[in-house]
Amino acid sequence: MYFSIIIPVYNRPDEMEELLSSLEKQDFSALFEVVVIEDGSTLKSDDVILRYSQKLTISYYNKENSGPGDSRNFGMKNAKGDYFLIFDSDCIIPKDYLKTVEQALQLQYVDFFGGPDKALDSFSDIQKAINFSMTSFITTGGVRGGTEKVGKFQPRSFNMGISKEAFRASGGFGNIHPGEDPDLTIRLWDLGFKSRLIPEAYVYHKRRIDWDKFALQTMKFGKARPILDLWHANYRKWTYFFPSIFIIGFYFSLFLLLFVEDFLFKLYCIYFLMIFLLSSVQNRNIAIGFLSIFATWIQFKNYGFGFVNSFIKINILKQKPQEAFPELFFKK
């Protein structure tokens, strides 16, 4: 099969340098192409693309800003391959990635797949802490770490593959962001296409993020979930309520302390201690262990509050998603 690698980018030439450098180093004998889509960038990657155009087969497009989902669709419409591999620009690709994916699809073909993400030693302590909270099996990020069923996996758009046939049948990504990847996954399932997790097909996800950006991102994740549940009611799960319940329970545990009842609060302390110990061992760094507690708190709190806010507006007040949360929708 012929792979087309689809990369939307917005004002990140430095990231494109690292990503294209990792693609140049692929231990893969077959031909593949790279399709880069500037999504209305004012800080373009043209100089970077020019440097790698002699080393990689690259198609480079500029378009008006319409969001990452629409930019991926644009790239896939113009790609020459029969199977598309989609990365975010802040990813670094292990040298055996393409070989791993090709072998996995030859062994068990599916029309779309996803892989997990990891952190490089060169990442900052904050990036490693956020990576832990987004991937650990003891946080809501466990699904990103590969704990979903291998044969029923919801790919994330920073690291996923989709066949040309599946893309054409589904029409690709919608204009919600975040949330465009689970929306596409469910529509593909309903069309009869099958997905899977390829655990060995991981990427290094260098999230360009600080605490404020992480809080905003996770808040948007929480807001998007009730909208997706509205669109795809058959795929609702009670576990989506967990971050909200977790946060409400924590504040209730503080209230109980006023009455000298500390059992619930102790349970929370034990949980955060587990995060500290697991992250410290995994990252071999106590400082990252402490930062992971903070990252997990931000993840739960902002997702939880975003979810409750959206649940009330969408399910109780019956507001239309685009009117309730215009910041989640790009105009095409």
Side-chain angles (χ1 to χ4, degrees):
M1 66 188 68
Y2 184 57
F3 290 131
S4 292
I5 297 174
I6 312 297
I7 308 168
V9 60
Y10 180 72
N11 291 339
R12 299 290 173 172
D14 53 334
E15 292 178 353
M16 288 306 304
E17 176 76 42
E18 289 186 305
L19 177 49
L20 293 179
S21 177
S22 68
L23 291 175
E24 180 203 355
K25 297 179 176 66
Q26 286 297 300
D27 181 16
F28 189 64
S29 58
L31 296 176
F32 65 94
E33 69 166 342
V34 180
V35 181
V36 179
I37 309 96
E38 289 276 13
D39 184 25
S41 300
T42 55
L43 185 61
K44 298 185 183 297
S45 303
D46 46 358
D47 289 341
V48 179
I49 301 299
L50 183 62
R51 285 200 300 274
Y52 283 91
S53 61
Q54 302 301 315
K55 306 171 185 178
L56 295 165
T57 301
I58 301 180
S59 299
Y60 183 50
Y61 298 94
N62 285 271
K63 54 179 282 297
E64 293 184 359
N65 180 254
S66 59
D70 189 54
S71 295
R72 296 182 195 112
N73 293 343
F74 181 94
M76 288 186 280
K77 289 176 183 176
N78 289 278
K80 299 179 178 66
D82 51 21
Y83 211 102
F84 309 132
L85 304 178
I86 302 170
F87 302 129
D88 281 353
S89 62
D90 57 352
C91 289
I92 299 171
I93 315 304
K95 67 178 182 178
D96 60 348
Y97 181 94
L98 293 180
K99 181 186 293 184
T100 297
V101 169
E102 182 183 57
Q103 291 173 349
L105 292 178
Q106 287 175 345
L107 186 64
Q108 181 187 347
Y109 183 84
V110 289
D111 279 285
F112 67 117
F113 74 88
D117 60 319
K118 297 184 178 182
L120 280 170
D121 290 339
S122 59
F123 288 7
S124 70
D125 286 357
I126 291 178
Q127 286 175 322
K128 291 177 181 176
I130 290 175
N131 181 78
F132 177 86
S133 72
M134 296 289 280
T135 62
S136 176
F137 69 93
I138 65 170
T139 70
T140 60
V143 292
R144 291 179 180 267
T147 58
E148 280 188 285
K149 294 180 180 179
V150 172
K152 190 72 170 177
F153 185 69
Q154 291 191 22
R156 272 69 182 179
S157 51
F158 65 84
N159 176 18
M160 72 174 292
I162 178 173
S163 70
K164 177 181 287 188
E165 179 185 359
F167 166 67
R168 287 179 172 175
S170 65
F173 294 94
N175 67 332
I176 189 172
H177 178 74
E180 71 272 25
D181 27 17
D183 171 60
L184 175 58
T185 290
I186 293 171
R187 288 189 286 110
L188 286 168
W189 284 343
D190 287 343
L191 288 168
F193 293 103
K194 298 188 182 302
S195 66
R196 63 175 291 208
L197 167 69
I198 303 180
E200 301 81 12
Y202 62 87
V203 301
Y204 299 112
H205 197 185
K206 191 177 183 179
R207 294 178 174 87
R208 47 174 128 78
I209 210 160
D210 55 30
W211 294 124
D212 290 338
K213 291 179 181 177
F214 184 51
L216 178 61
Q217 181 188 61
T218 50
M219 177 77 75
K220 287 184 175 180
F221 287 154
K223 290 178 180 178
R225 176 49 61 184
I227 297 173
L228 296 173
D229 289 345
L230 174 70
W231 293 346
H232 309 290
N234 292 337
Y235 294 89
R236 291 175 178 171
K237 295 180 181 179
W238 70 268
T239 52
Y240 296 147
F241 289 85
F242 178 72
S244 303
I245 296 172
F246 180 92
I247 293 300
I248 293 171
F250 178 78
Y251 287 119
F252 183 63
S253 75
L254 296 180
F255 173 75
L256 290 180
L257 288 178
L258 298 175
F259 303 95
V260 199
E261 176 53 64
D262 61 357
F263 176 74
L264 184 58
F265 181 75
K266 287 180 179 178
L267 291 181
Y268 278 93
C269 291
I270 292 172
Y271 175 73
F272 286 120
L273 178 61
M274 289 173 57
I275 289 174
F276 167 74
L277 293 174
L278 187 60
S279 179
S280 296
V281 171
Q282 179 177 309
N283 292 286
R284 301 184 300 278
N285 188 312
I286 292 177
I288 297 174
F290 280 113
L291 289 173
S292 296
I293 295 175
F294 190 52
T296 302
W297 171 253
I298 291 176
Q299 182 188 19
F300 274 75
K301 179 175 72 69
N302 288 278
Y303 184 103
F305 285 151
F307 182 93
V308 170
N309 182 19
S310 181
F311 185 87
I312 292 172
K313 288 184 177 181
I314 300 301
N315 293 280
I316 298 176
L317 301 180
K318 304 298 182 181
Q319 295 182 10
K320 294 181 179 179
Q322 289 87 345
E323 295 176 357
F325 302 106
E327 70 274 16
L328 300 182
F329 294 89
F330 280 91
K331 295 181 179 179
K332 296 185 180 180

